[in-house]
Amino acid sequence: QSALTQPASVSGSPGQSITISCTATSSDVGSFNYVSWYQQHPGKPPKLMIYAVTNRPSGVSNRFSGSKSGNTASLTISGLQAEDEADYYCSSYTTSSTSIFGGGTKLTVL
Amino acid sequence: EVQLLESGGGLVQPGGSLRVSCVASGFTFSTYAVGWVRQAPGKGLEWVASITATGGSTFIADSVKGRFAISRDNSKSTLYLQMNSLRAEDTAIYYCAKAVYNVGWYMGFDHWGQGTLVTVSS
């Protein structure tokens, strides 16, 4: 069974940097090269922040960056701002030609 | 401007069927893969299904395989999700989403609709 594990919550103060991890708990994600990250504010649809591990869609602030090491992908937000407070989800393609989401991380800006 | 507008949600009894639709505009619908992602009340995101640009290939989550079917009509720029044998655990907001690239549906979804709520209850 494929699964992506994220911390339930992270927090940081304005101006700081935070990192949200996303760990694959099985080999079903293959090379883990198709990881994407989404931001979701309450009552809103998700917004794509990072795709294919490190790529940022046009219009997304360069304060957001993605990386990967082994079976763990990470989303880093630098220069934290109040508007960054939201839920964040990672997602990955699997070798079964399906897609899975992590459980989500609630980011609180203190 | 890319727009995705879902419709067709509502209240349905367990065991019933429902078809939700998504009308796309602002991009060449026939050249992009699209998909459905759902979110149960107060819960996280769950990928449901995706379909390639031509409709020639479909991909379905195990949790709904055999009960749900994804399809598209490129002449109408419309995506569909046919849901049969509905269960209480299928209750969720169903979002329609567009793939970020015109190749590789799995790269990520860069545009999302506002969603349509499906409630399965007696």
Side-chain angles (χ1 to χ4, degrees):
Chain A
Q1 181 97 11
S2 306
L4 299 177
T5 300
Q6 300 180 231
S9 63
V10 298
S11 63
S13 299
Q16 288 185 330
S17 293
I18 63 96
T19 296
I20 299 172
S21 62
C22 171
T23 301
T25 59
S26 77
S27 60
D28 289 353
V29 297
S31 58
F32 211 28
N33 286 333
Y34 301 114
V35 177
S36 49
W37 289 91
Y38 298 88
Q39 175 193 67
Q40 187 179 34
H41 288 108
K44 298 294 187 181
K47 176 184 177 182
L48 180 66
M49 307 304 286
I50 297 288
Y51 65 95
V53 181
T54 61
N55 294 273
R56 200 170 44 246
S58 61
V60 172
S61 171
N62 59 10
R63 298 186 297 107
F64 292 82
S65 62
S67 62
K68 182 192 74 169
S69 177
N71 67 336
T72 297
S74 298
L75 174 71
T76 298
I77 309 173
S78 59
L80 207 57
Q81 299 179 0
E83 67 208 48
D84 300 332
E85 185 163 294
D87 293 326
Y88 291 84
Y89 296 89
C90 63
S91 177
S92 176
Y93 182 60
T94 78
T95 55
S96 303
S97 296
T98 63
S99 183
I100 53 173
F101 280 94
T105 298
K106 182 177 180 60
L107 169 62
T108 300
V109 179
L110 302 170
Chain B
E1 179 191 5
V2 173
Q3 292 194 337
L4 299 165
L5 183 60
E6 302 96 336
S7 63
L11 176 63
V12 60
Q13 293 189 337
S17 297
L18 198 65
R19 187 179 79 163
V20 292
S21 303
C22 171
V23 177
S25 60
F27 67 103
T28 306
F29 181 74
S30 61
T31 63
Y32 284 87
V34 282
W36 292 97
V37 175
R38 69 183 181 181
Q39 187 168 35
K43 303 297 185 182
L45 301 174
E46 180 185 14
W47 173 80
V48 175
S50 292
I51 186 168
T52 55
T54 63
S57 295
T58 61
F59 307 89
I60 304 286
D62 288 344
S63 59
V64 302
K65 190 170 292 185
R67 301 188 298 121
F68 289 14
I70 186 171
S71 63
R72 64 191 295 163
D73 184 340
N74 285 345
S75 68
K76 297 181 179 179
S77 296
T78 302
L79 174 68
Y80 303 101
L81 185 67
Q82 177 67 44
M83 302 181 287
N84 300 326
S85 302
L86 282 160
R87 307 167 179 167
E89 55 263 37
D90 296 318
T91 294
I93 295 173
Y94 285 74
Y95 293 105
C96 164
K98 166 191 165 292
V100 64
Y101 276 151
N102 56 7
V103 290
W105 66 266
Y106 42 82
M107 301 290 277
F109 293 120
D110 64 344
H111 287 86
W112 296 63
Q114 292 298 310
T116 187
L117 177 63
V118 173
T119 303
V120 184
S121 174
S122 55

